[in-house]
């Protein structure tokens, strides 16, 4: 539960109050580039790619939930690498 809260806080730090429908696949790449350039709060070392992927996995679950509920018209993770 603590890990999920940290992931959400970091995702909110980058995406802010941007509506889900305005987040694009390119935004995900921007997030990945931004996140890799930041240091871990805990270790003060560069963030590992596995950490970034876990954060994006949490976001993927949220986006798919919103898509399933009809809140957004497109799943931005569909066919993205």
């Amino acid at each position: 539960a603590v890990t999920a809260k940290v992931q959400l806080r970091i995702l909110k730090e980058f995406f802010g109050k941007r509506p889900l429908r305005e987040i694009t696949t390119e935004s995900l790449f921007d997030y990945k580039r931004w996140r890799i350039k930041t240091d871990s709060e805990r270790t003060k070392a560069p963030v590992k790619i596995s950490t970034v992927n876990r954060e994006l996995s949490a976001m993927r679950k949220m986006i798919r939930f919103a898509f399933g509920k009809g809140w957004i018209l497109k799943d931005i993770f569909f066919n993205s690498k």
Side-chain angles (χ1 to χ4, degrees):
V2 173
T3 302
K5 286 181 183 180
V6 171
Q7 290 172 341
L8 284 174
R9 184 177 50 77
I10 293 169
L11 287 165
K12 281 174 60 175
E13 185 179 332
F14 180 80
F15 290 105
K17 294 188 180 280
R18 192 181 322 180
L20 283 177
R21 66 184 170 276
E22 291 181 11
I23 298 173
T24 63
T25 304
E26 184 60 34
S27 302
L28 300 176
F29 291 116
D30 293 341
Y31 173 78
K32 199 170 195 174
R33 284 189 290 272
W34 170 79
R35 190 65 174 117
I36 288 171
K37 291 178 184 176
T38 60
D39 289 339
S40 169
E41 295 171 355
R42 190 172 48 86
T43 64
K44 306 300 183 217
V47 176
K48 295 178 182 175
I49 191 69
S50 58
T51 301
V52 178
N53 288 337
R54 277 196 226 45
E55 293 164 357
L56 286 171
S57 177
M59 185 169 183
R60 181 181 301 114
K61 290 175 186 172
M62 292 184 283
I63 293 292
R64 293 213 167 130
F65 179 83
F67 180 69
K69 291 286 186 179
W71 298 341
I72 55 175
L73 300 175
K74 183 180 175 191
D75 177 359
I76 58 172
F77 283 94
F78 184 74
N79 280 343
S80 67
K81 298 195 188 271

